Amino acid sequence: LCCFQLYGYCYQDSNDIPDTLTTITELGSPLEMIQLLQTSWEDRFRICLSLVRLLHYLAHSPLGSVTLLDFRPRQFVIVDGELKVTDLDDASVEESSCTSNSDCFMEFPARNFTLPCSVEGRCQSMNEKRNLYNAYRFFFTYLLPHSAPSSLRPLLDKIVNATGNHNKHGNAKYIWPEYLARKLSPSPPVNSEFTQKCVKSANTQYRRVPEAHIPDENYSCWPSYHHKGCLLSVFDVNEAIEICDSYSQCKAFVLTNQTTWTGRQLVFFKMASNHIVPDPDKITYVKVTD
């Protein structure tokens, strides 16, 4: 799951290069950080989730704890939305030997860490900590907070800080379970609070129109799942209202019956509600004006 899948290989002798090894692997896309920052937050979250799985595997591999000495974006590719490592030439299973804690010094461009020296004369969890901090400085700090849902930002800040600080929860085994349990659970069904004719936000009232859709009146927003409109994912109607209130051009939104891979509901945001048509699979909410 974490590394390139090997489909086949063959040895071939050549006059120029003896004992040539040719491998056939799955096809992946190069990881371009600028392009990733232009994708939806959930796509970036999925990449970070696959990276966490990789970190856990490296920390508990059959060979022992493995560190990637060249842990940079160019060593990874994207396969079906998942992050996979392609180059294991710089992988190491050797935990650094030590006689005191001062021998377990890890130096990075932004900060340094000193780990405990075990009674066996090995730096405790150095391989795992090195991988985790590199994942933080090359991936998590860029991909997780950027345009994240507002309801998740406090928890995201906690997770990103944990990976960067190497505190007692700063390892691949402990930093994610609470977050994933909350984030990956499917959105709950719309409850009775939203089955009434109107719902209210702090400053705006919305009229609920069941089995209705607004086919036009699109505007562009970022990041959007649709290049010709503003299509975003929400946890519930409250979050949709919060988003609509934040856009001056938003006058209505349409809940679809489609969800993202995490179970969040896809919603079209509209700049007017002049033309509403029947649609059994959608619910429209229209701003009520005085």
Side-chain angles (χ1 to χ4, degrees), residues 71-132:
F71 198 116
R72 286 182 286 184
R74 69 183 184 186
Q75 303 292 84
F76 300 86
V77 295
I78 305 295
V79 180
D80 296 329
E82 304 278 342
L83 189 73
K84 295 192 177 185
V85 62
T86 62
D87 190 352
L88 295 174
D89 290 347
D90 295 307
S92 173
V93 295
E94 294 295 327
E95 294 277 17
S96 299
S97 59
C98 58
T99 57
S100 65
N101 290 351
S102 60
D103 295 327
C104 302
F105 181 74
M106 291 197 302
E107 186 175 6
F108 296 96
R111 62 185 310 168
N112 304 320
F113 302 95
T114 300
L115 301 178
C117 180
S118 69
V119 294
E120 293 83 11
R122 296 288 178 181
C123 296
Q124 291 184 13
S125 304
M126 178 170 276
N127 286 348
E128 181 178 4
K129 298 290 187 180
R130 181 183 288 111
N131 288 338
L132 182 61

Short mmCIF file of all heavy atoms in Angstrom, two decimals, residues 71-132:
data_model
loop_
_atom_site.label_atom_id
_atom_site.label_comp_id
_atom_site.label_asym_id
_atom_site.label_seq_id
_atom_site.Cartn_x
_atom_site.Cartn_y
_atom_site.Cartn_z
N PHE A 71 14.13 12.07 2.41
CA PHE A 71 12.69 12.15 2.55
C PHE A 71 12.23 13.49 1.97
O PHE A 71 12.01 14.47 2.68
CB PHE A 71 12.31 12.05 4.03
CG PHE A 71 10.89 11.70 4.31
CD1 PHE A 71 10.56 10.52 4.95
CD2 PHE A 71 9.86 12.54 3.94
CE1 PHE A 71 9.24 10.19 5.23
CE2 PHE A 71 8.54 12.23 4.21
CZ PHE A 71 8.23 11.05 4.85
N ARG A 72 12.07 13.52 0.65
CA ARG A 72 11.65 14.75 -0.02
C ARG A 72 10.57 14.44 -1.04
O ARG A 72 10.43 13.28 -1.47
CB ARG A 72 12.86 15.43 -0.69
CG ARG A 72 13.79 16.11 0.30
CD ARG A 72 14.92 16.81 -0.40
NE ARG A 72 15.91 15.88 -0.92
CZ ARG A 72 17.04 16.26 -1.52
NH1 ARG A 72 17.29 17.55 -1.69
NH2 ARG A 72 17.90 15.36 -1.96
N PRO A 73 9.79 15.44 -1.45
CA PRO A 73 8.68 15.17 -2.37
C PRO A 73 9.08 14.43 -3.64
O PRO A 73 8.29 13.65 -4.17
CB PRO A 73 8.15 16.59 -2.68
CG PRO A 73 8.44 17.36 -1.45
CD PRO A 73 9.77 16.83 -0.95
N ARG A 74 10.28 14.66 -4.14
CA ARG A 74 10.68 14.00 -5.39
C ARG A 74 10.81 12.49 -5.24
O ARG A 74 10.92 11.78 -6.24
CB ARG A 74 12.01 14.59 -5.87
CG ARG A 74 13.20 14.24 -5.00
CD ARG A 74 14.46 14.92 -5.50
NE ARG A 74 15.64 14.51 -4.74
CZ ARG A 74 16.85 15.05 -4.91
NH1 ARG A 74 17.02 16.00 -5.81
NH2 ARG A 74 17.88 14.62 -4.18
N GLN A 75 10.81 11.98 -4.01
CA GLN A 75 10.91 10.54 -3.79
C GLN A 75 9.54 9.86 -3.81
O GLN A 75 9.46 8.65 -3.61
CB GLN A 75 11.56 10.27 -2.42
CG GLN A 75 12.93 10.90 -2.25
CD GLN A 75 13.97 10.26 -3.14
OE1 GLN A 75 14.11 10.61 -4.31
NE2 GLN A 75 14.69 9.30 -2.61
N PHE A 76 8.47 10.63 -4.05
CA PHE A 76 7.12 10.09 -3.96
C PHE A 76 6.37 10.35 -5.26
O PHE A 76 6.70 11.25 -6.02
CB PHE A 76 6.36 10.74 -2.80
CG PHE A 76 6.98 10.52 -1.46
CD1 PHE A 76 7.98 11.36 -0.99
CD2 PHE A 76 6.58 9.47 -0.66
CE1 PHE A 76 8.56 11.17 0.25
CE2 PHE A 76 7.15 9.26 0.58
CZ PHE A 76 8.14 10.11 1.04
N VAL A 77 5.32 9.55 -5.48
CA VAL A 77 4.40 9.76 -6.59
C VAL A 77 2.97 9.58 -6.07
O VAL A 77 2.75 9.07 -4.97
CB VAL A 77 4.65 8.77 -7.76
CG1 VAL A 77 6.01 9.00 -8.39
CG2 VAL A 77 4.50 7.33 -7.28
N ILE A 78 2.01 10.02 -6.89
CA ILE A 78 0.60 9.86 -6.57
C ILE A 78 0.02 8.76 -7.45
O ILE A 78 0.15 8.79 -8.67
CB ILE A 78 -0.18 11.16 -6.80
CG1 ILE A 78 0.45 12.31 -6.02
CG2 ILE A 78 -1.64 10.98 -6.42
CD1 ILE A 78 0.38 12.14 -4.53
N VAL A 79 -0.61 7.77 -6.82
CA VAL A 79 -1.27 6.67 -7.53
C VAL A 79 -2.70 6.59 -7.03
O VAL A 79 -2.94 6.27 -5.85
CB VAL A 79 -0.54 5.33 -7.30
CG1 VAL A 79 -1.27 4.21 -8.05
CG2 VAL A 79 0.91 5.40 -7.73
N ASP A 80 -3.66 6.90 -7.89
CA ASP A 80 -5.08 6.88 -7.53
C ASP A 80 -5.36 7.69 -6.26
O ASP A 80 -6.10 7.25 -5.37
CB ASP A 80 -5.56 5.43 -7.35
CG ASP A 80 -5.50 4.63 -8.64
OD1 ASP A 80 -5.67 5.24 -9.72
OD2 ASP A 80 -5.28 3.41 -8.57
N GLY A 81 -4.74 8.86 -6.17
CA GLY A 81 -4.96 9.75 -5.04
C GLY A 81 -4.18 9.41 -3.79
O GLY A 81 -4.29 10.10 -2.78
N GLU A 82 -3.39 8.35 -3.84
CA GLU A 82 -2.60 7.93 -2.68
C GLU A 82 -1.12 8.24 -2.92
O GLU A 82 -0.62 8.16 -4.04
CB GLU A 82 -2.76 6.42 -2.43
CG GLU A 82 -4.19 5.96 -2.24
CD GLU A 82 -4.69 6.18 -0.82
OE1 GLU A 82 -3.83 6.35 0.07
OE2 GLU A 82 -5.91 6.19 -0.61
N LEU A 83 -0.44 8.56 -1.83
CA LEU A 83 1.00 8.85 -1.89
C LEU A 83 1.79 7.55 -1.72
O LEU A 83 1.52 6.77 -0.81
CB LEU A 83 1.38 9.83 -0.78
CG LEU A 83 2.80 10.39 -0.83
CD1 LEU A 83 2.93 11.41 -1.96
CD2 LEU A 83 3.14 11.04 0.50
N LYS A 84 2.75 7.33 -2.62
CA LYS A 84 3.59 6.14 -2.52
C LYS A 84 5.05 6.53 -2.74
O LYS A 84 5.36 7.41 -3.53
CB LYS A 84 3.18 5.08 -3.55
CG LYS A 84 1.78 4.51 -3.31
CD LYS A 84 1.51 3.29 -4.14
CE LYS A 84 0.15 2.70 -3.83
NZ LYS A 84 -0.09 1.43 -4.55
N VAL A 85 5.92 5.85 -2.02
CA VAL A 85 7.35 6.10 -2.15
C VAL A 85 7.90 5.25 -3.29
O VAL A 85 7.51 4.09 -3.47
CB VAL A 85 8.09 5.81 -0.83
CG1 VAL A 85 7.98 4.36 -0.42
CG2 VAL A 85 9.55 6.23 -0.92
N THR A 86 8.79 5.84 -4.10
CA THR A 86 9.30 5.14 -5.28
C THR A 86 10.77 4.75 -5.15
O THR A 86 11.22 3.85 -5.84
CB THR A 86 9.16 6.02 -6.53
OG1 THR A 86 9.95 7.21 -6.35
CG2 THR A 86 7.73 6.40 -6.76
N ASP A 87 11.51 5.42 -4.30
CA ASP A 87 12.95 5.22 -4.24
C ASP A 87 13.36 4.81 -2.83
O ASP A 87 13.26 5.61 -1.89
CB ASP A 87 13.67 6.51 -4.65
CG ASP A 87 15.18 6.29 -4.83
OD1 ASP A 87 15.66 5.19 -4.51
OD2 ASP A 87 15.85 7.23 -5.29
N LEU A 88 13.80 3.58 -2.69
CA LEU A 88 14.22 3.07 -1.38
C LEU A 88 15.73 2.91 -1.28
O LEU A 88 16.23 2.27 -0.36
CB LEU A 88 13.53 1.73 -1.09
CG LEU A 88 12.00 1.78 -0.95
CD1 LEU A 88 11.43 0.38 -0.81
CD2 LEU A 88 11.61 2.63 0.24
N ASP A 89 16.46 3.53 -2.23
CA ASP A 89 17.91 3.40 -2.20
C ASP A 89 18.53 3.99 -0.94
O ASP A 89 19.58 3.54 -0.48
CB ASP A 89 18.53 4.10 -3.43
CG ASP A 89 18.23 3.36 -4.72
OD1 ASP A 89 17.77 2.21 -4.64
OD2 ASP A 89 18.43 3.94 -5.80
N ASP A 90 17.87 5.03 -0.39
CA ASP A 90 18.43 5.69 0.79
C ASP A 90 17.74 5.27 2.08
O ASP A 90 17.82 5.97 3.09
CB ASP A 90 18.30 7.22 0.62
CG ASP A 90 19.13 7.73 -0.54
OD1 ASP A 90 20.33 7.43 -0.58
OD2 ASP A 90 18.57 8.43 -1.41
N ALA A 91 17.05 4.14 2.07
CA ALA A 91 16.41 3.64 3.28
C ALA A 91 17.44 2.95 4.16
O ALA A 91 18.39 2.32 3.68
CB ALA A 91 15.29 2.66 2.92
N SER A 92 17.25 3.08 5.46
CA SER A 92 18.18 2.48 6.42
C SER A 92 17.40 1.90 7.59
O SER A 92 16.41 2.48 8.04
CB SER A 92 19.17 3.53 6.94
OG SER A 92 19.98 3.00 7.98
N VAL A 93 17.84 0.74 8.08
CA VAL A 93 17.21 0.11 9.24
C VAL A 93 18.10 0.21 10.47
O VAL A 93 17.75 -0.33 11.52
CB VAL A 93 16.89 -1.38 8.95
CG1 VAL A 93 15.86 -1.50 7.85
CG2 VAL A 93 18.16 -2.15 8.60
N GLU A 94 19.20 0.90 10.37
CA GLU A 94 20.13 1.01 11.49
C GLU A 94 19.75 2.17 12.40
O GLU A 94 19.71 3.32 11.97
CB GLU A 94 21.56 1.20 10.97
CG GLU A 94 22.13 0.01 10.21
CD GLU A 94 22.29 -1.21 11.09
OE1 GLU A 94 22.58 -1.04 12.29
OE2 GLU A 94 22.12 -2.33 10.58
N GLU A 95 19.43 1.87 13.66
CA GLU A 95 19.24 2.93 14.64
C GLU A 95 20.63 3.36 15.14
O GLU A 95 21.50 2.53 15.39
CB GLU A 95 18.41 2.43 15.83
CG GLU A 95 16.97 2.08 15.48
CD GLU A 95 16.06 3.31 15.46
OE1 GLU A 95 16.58 4.44 15.39
OE2 GLU A 95 14.83 3.12 15.50
N SER A 96 20.83 4.65 15.28
CA SER A 96 22.14 5.17 15.65
C SER A 96 22.57 4.66 17.02
O SER A 96 21.77 4.60 17.97
CB SER A 96 22.11 6.70 15.66
OG SER A 96 21.79 7.20 14.39
N SER A 97 23.84 4.28 17.13
CA SER A 97 24.38 3.86 18.41
C SER A 97 24.75 5.08 19.25
O SER A 97 24.96 6.18 18.72
CB SER A 97 25.62 2.98 18.20
OG SER A 97 26.61 3.69 17.49
N CYS A 98 24.80 4.89 20.57
CA CYS A 98 25.07 6.02 21.45
C CYS A 98 25.62 5.54 22.78
O CYS A 98 25.46 4.37 23.16
CB CYS A 98 23.79 6.83 21.69
SG CYS A 98 22.43 5.85 22.40
N THR A 99 26.28 6.45 23.48
CA THR A 99 26.70 6.21 24.86
C THR A 99 26.02 7.17 25.83
O THR A 99 26.01 6.94 27.03
CB THR A 99 28.23 6.35 24.98
OG1 THR A 99 28.62 7.65 24.52
CG2 THR A 99 28.94 5.28 24.13
N SER A 100 25.48 8.28 25.27
CA SER A 100 24.75 9.25 26.08
C SER A 100 23.72 9.95 25.21
O SER A 100 23.73 9.81 23.98
CB SER A 100 25.70 10.28 26.69
OG SER A 100 26.29 11.07 25.66
N ASN A 101 22.85 10.70 25.85
CA ASN A 101 21.80 11.40 25.09
C ASN A 101 22.38 12.38 24.07
O ASN A 101 21.78 12.62 23.02
CB ASN A 101 20.87 12.16 26.05
CG ASN A 101 20.01 11.23 26.88
OD1 ASN A 101 19.97 10.02 26.64
ND2 ASN A 101 19.32 11.78 27.87
N SER A 102 23.51 12.94 24.36
CA SER A 102 24.11 13.92 23.45
C SER A 102 24.48 13.29 22.11
O SER A 102 24.60 14.00 21.10
CB SER A 102 25.34 14.56 24.08
OG SER A 102 26.32 13.58 24.39
N ASP A 103 24.63 11.96 22.08
CA ASP A 103 24.92 11.28 20.81
C ASP A 103 23.67 11.16 19.94
O ASP A 103 23.78 10.85 18.75
CB ASP A 103 25.47 9.89 21.07
CG ASP A 103 26.82 9.91 21.78
OD1 ASP A 103 27.60 10.86 21.54
OD2 ASP A 103 27.08 8.99 22.58
N CYS A 104 22.50 11.41 20.52
CA CYS A 104 21.23 11.25 19.79
C CYS A 104 20.69 12.62 19.39
O CYS A 104 19.53 12.95 19.63
CB CYS A 104 20.22 10.51 20.66
SG CYS A 104 20.77 8.87 21.18
N PHE A 105 21.55 13.39 18.77
CA PHE A 105 21.21 14.75 18.37
C PHE A 105 20.77 14.73 16.91
O PHE A 105 21.48 14.23 16.04
CB PHE A 105 22.42 15.66 18.55
CG PHE A 105 22.19 17.09 18.19
CD1 PHE A 105 21.44 17.92 19.00
CD2 PHE A 105 22.72 17.62 17.02
CE1 PHE A 105 21.22 19.24 18.67
CE2 PHE A 105 22.50 18.94 16.67
CZ PHE A 105 21.76 19.76 17.50
N MET A 106 19.56 15.27 16.64
CA MET A 106 19.05 15.36 15.28
C MET A 106 18.98 16.83 14.89
O MET A 106 18.35 17.64 15.59
CB MET A 106 17.66 14.72 15.16
CG MET A 106 17.66 13.22 15.31
SD MET A 106 16.10 12.49 14.68
CE MET A 106 14.88 13.34 15.67
N GLU A 107 19.59 17.18 13.78
CA GLU A 107 19.67 18.57 13.35
C GLU A 107 18.87 18.76 12.06
O GLU A 107 19.05 18.03 11.09
CB GLU A 107 21.12 18.98 13.12
CG GLU A 107 21.30 20.44 12.80
CD GLU A 107 22.77 20.84 12.70
OE1 GLU A 107 23.63 19.93 12.79
OE2 GLU A 107 23.04 22.03 12.55
N PHE A 108 17.98 19.73 12.07
CA PHE A 108 17.19 20.10 10.90
C PHE A 108 17.35 21.60 10.66
O PHE A 108 17.80 22.34 11.54
CB PHE A 108 15.71 19.76 11.11
CG PHE A 108 15.43 18.30 11.26
CD1 PHE A 108 15.32 17.72 12.52
CD2 PHE A 108 15.28 17.49 10.14
CE1 PHE A 108 15.07 16.36 12.66
CE2 PHE A 108 15.02 16.13 10.27
CZ PHE A 108 14.92 15.56 11.53
N PRO A 109 16.99 22.09 9.47
CA PRO A 109 17.17 23.52 9.18
C PRO A 109 16.47 24.44 10.16
O PRO A 109 16.99 25.49 10.52
CB PRO A 109 16.59 23.66 7.77
CG PRO A 109 16.76 22.31 7.15
CD PRO A 109 16.56 21.34 8.26
N ALA A 110 15.26 24.07 10.63
CA ALA A 110 14.49 24.98 11.48
C ALA A 110 14.66 24.72 12.97
O ALA A 110 14.53 25.63 13.78
CB ALA A 110 13.01 24.91 11.12
N ARG A 111 14.94 23.46 13.36
CA ARG A 111 15.07 23.16 14.78
C ARG A 111 15.83 21.85 14.97
O ARG A 111 16.03 21.08 14.02
CB ARG A 111 13.71 23.07 15.45
CG ARG A 111 12.79 21.98 14.92
CD ARG A 111 11.42 22.08 15.57
NE ARG A 111 11.53 22.18 17.01
CZ ARG A 111 10.51 22.50 17.81
NH1 ARG A 111 9.32 22.75 17.29
NH2 ARG A 111 10.67 22.56 19.11
N ASN A 112 16.23 21.60 16.19
CA ASN A 112 17.02 20.42 16.52
C ASN A 112 16.34 19.66 17.66
O ASN A 112 15.57 20.23 18.43
CB ASN A 112 18.44 20.81 16.93
CG ASN A 112 19.14 21.63 15.86
OD1 ASN A 112 19.01 21.37 14.68
ND2 ASN A 112 19.88 22.66 16.30
N PHE A 113 16.66 18.37 17.77
CA PHE A 113 16.09 17.52 18.81
C PHE A 113 17.18 16.63 19.39
O PHE A 113 18.10 16.22 18.67
CB PHE A 113 14.98 16.62 18.26
CG PHE A 113 13.85 17.38 17.62
CD1 PHE A 113 13.82 17.59 16.25
CD2 PHE A 113 12.81 17.87 18.38
CE1 PHE A 113 12.79 18.27 15.64
CE2 PHE A 113 11.77 18.57 17.79
CZ PHE A 113 11.76 18.76 16.42
N THR A 114 17.04 16.31 20.67
CA THR A 114 17.91 15.33 21.31
C THR A 114 17.02 14.23 21.88
O THR A 114 16.13 14.50 22.70
CB THR A 114 18.74 15.97 22.43
OG1 THR A 114 19.56 17.00 21.88
CG2 THR A 114 19.65 14.92 23.08
N LEU A 115 17.27 13.00 21.46
CA LEU A 115 16.48 11.86 21.90
C LEU A 115 17.21 11.08 22.99
O LEU A 115 18.44 11.19 23.13
CB LEU A 115 16.19 10.94 20.71
CG LEU A 115 15.42 11.57 19.54
CD1 LEU A 115 15.25 10.56 18.42
CD2 LEU A 115 14.08 12.11 19.99
N PRO A 116 16.49 10.27 23.76
CA PRO A 116 17.14 9.48 24.81
C PRO A 116 18.01 8.36 24.23
O PRO A 116 17.69 7.77 23.19
CB PRO A 116 15.96 8.89 25.59
CG PRO A 116 14.75 9.61 25.14
CD PRO A 116 15.02 10.11 23.76
N CYS A 117 19.07 8.07 24.92
CA CYS A 117 19.92 6.92 24.59
C CYS A 117 19.47 5.75 25.45
O CYS A 117 19.42 5.85 26.68
CB CYS A 117 21.39 7.26 24.87
SG CYS A 117 22.53 5.91 24.51
N SER A 118 19.12 4.65 24.84
CA SER A 118 18.58 3.50 25.58
C SER A 118 19.70 2.74 26.29
O SER A 118 20.89 2.95 26.03
CB SER A 118 17.85 2.55 24.62
OG SER A 118 18.78 1.92 23.76
N VAL A 119 19.32 1.84 27.18
CA VAL A 119 20.30 1.04 27.91
C VAL A 119 21.03 0.08 26.96
O VAL A 119 22.13 -0.40 27.27
CB VAL A 119 19.61 0.24 29.04
CG1 VAL A 119 19.08 1.17 30.10
CG2 VAL A 119 18.48 -0.64 28.48
N GLU A 120 20.39 -0.19 25.80
CA GLU A 120 21.06 -1.04 24.80
C GLU A 120 22.06 -0.25 23.96
O GLU A 120 22.73 -0.83 23.08
CB GLU A 120 20.02 -1.68 23.87
CG GLU A 120 19.10 -2.69 24.54
CD GLU A 120 17.94 -2.01 25.25
OE1 GLU A 120 17.77 -0.79 25.04
OE2 GLU A 120 17.23 -2.69 26.02
N GLY A 121 22.18 1.05 24.19
CA GLY A 121 23.13 1.86 23.44
C GLY A 121 22.63 2.27 22.07
O GLY A 121 23.41 2.44 21.14
N ARG A 122 21.29 2.45 21.94
CA ARG A 122 20.70 2.90 20.69
C ARG A 122 19.82 4.12 20.95
O ARG A 122 19.17 4.22 21.99
CB ARG A 122 19.84 1.79 20.06
CG ARG A 122 20.65 0.55 19.66
CD ARG A 122 21.50 0.83 18.43
NE ARG A 122 22.31 -0.31 18.06
CZ ARG A 122 23.16 -0.33 17.04
NH1 ARG A 122 23.30 0.76 16.31
NH2 ARG A 122 23.87 -1.41 16.77
N CYS A 123 19.81 5.05 20.00
CA CYS A 123 18.96 6.23 20.12
C CYS A 123 17.50 5.80 19.94
O CYS A 123 17.14 5.23 18.91
CB CYS A 123 19.34 7.27 19.07
SG CYS A 123 21.01 7.92 19.27
N GLN A 124 16.69 6.09 20.93
CA GLN A 124 15.31 5.59 20.94
C GLN A 124 14.47 6.26 19.85
O GLN A 124 14.34 7.49 19.82
CB GLN A 124 14.68 5.82 22.30
CG GLN A 124 15.27 4.97 23.41
CD GLN A 124 14.56 5.16 24.74
OE1 GLN A 124 13.48 5.73 24.80
NE2 GLN A 124 15.18 4.66 25.81
N SER A 125 13.92 5.43 18.98
CA SER A 125 12.96 5.87 17.95
C SER A 125 13.52 6.93 17.02
O SER A 125 12.75 7.72 16.45
CB SER A 125 11.67 6.39 18.61
OG SER A 125 11.10 5.43 19.44
N MET A 126 14.81 6.95 16.81
CA MET A 126 15.38 8.00 15.95
C MET A 126 14.89 7.87 14.51
O MET A 126 14.58 8.88 13.86
CB MET A 126 16.90 7.98 16.00
CG MET A 126 17.55 9.02 15.08
SD MET A 126 19.32 9.22 15.32
CE MET A 126 19.34 10.38 16.70
N ASN A 127 14.81 6.66 14.00
CA ASN A 127 14.34 6.48 12.62
C ASN A 127 12.92 7.00 12.46
O ASN A 127 12.59 7.71 11.50
CB ASN A 127 14.40 5.01 12.22
CG ASN A 127 15.82 4.54 11.97
OD1 ASN A 127 16.74 5.36 11.87
ND2 ASN A 127 16.02 3.24 11.86
N GLU A 128 12.06 6.63 13.41
CA GLU A 128 10.66 7.05 13.33
C GLU A 128 10.54 8.57 13.47
O GLU A 128 9.78 9.21 12.73
CB GLU A 128 9.84 6.36 14.42
CG GLU A 128 8.37 6.71 14.40
CD GLU A 128 7.59 5.98 15.48
OE1 GLU A 128 8.22 5.27 16.29
OE2 GLU A 128 6.36 6.13 15.51
N LYS A 129 11.27 9.15 14.41
CA LYS A 129 11.20 10.59 14.63
C LYS A 129 11.73 11.36 13.42
O LYS A 129 11.19 12.41 13.06
CB LYS A 129 11.99 10.97 15.87
CG LYS A 129 11.50 10.35 17.16
CD LYS A 129 10.17 10.94 17.59
CE LYS A 129 9.78 10.45 18.98
NZ LYS A 129 8.49 11.01 19.42
N ARG A 130 12.77 10.86 12.79
CA ARG A 130 13.31 11.55 11.61
C ARG A 130 12.28 11.55 10.47
O ARG A 130 12.05 12.57 9.82
CB ARG A 130 14.61 10.87 11.15
CG ARG A 130 15.24 11.56 9.93
CD ARG A 130 16.48 10.86 9.44
NE ARG A 130 17.61 11.04 10.35
CZ ARG A 130 18.13 10.07 11.10
NH1 ARG A 130 17.62 8.84 11.05
NH2 ARG A 130 19.14 10.31 11.89
N ASN A 131 11.66 10.39 10.25
CA ASN A 131 10.63 10.33 9.21
C ASN A 131 9.48 11.27 9.52
O ASN A 131 8.97 11.97 8.63
CB ASN A 131 10.08 8.90 9.09
CG ASN A 131 11.07 7.94 8.45
OD1 ASN A 131 11.98 8.35 7.75
ND2 ASN A 131 10.88 6.66 8.70
N LEU A 132 9.04 11.29 10.78
CA LEU A 132 7.89 12.09 11.16
C LEU A 132 8.16 13.58 10.99
O LEU A 132 7.32 14.32 10.46
CB LEU A 132 7.50 11.79 12.61
CG LEU A 132 6.27 12.52 13.14
CD1 LEU A 132 5.03 12.16 12.34
CD2 LEU A 132 6.06 12.19 14.62
#
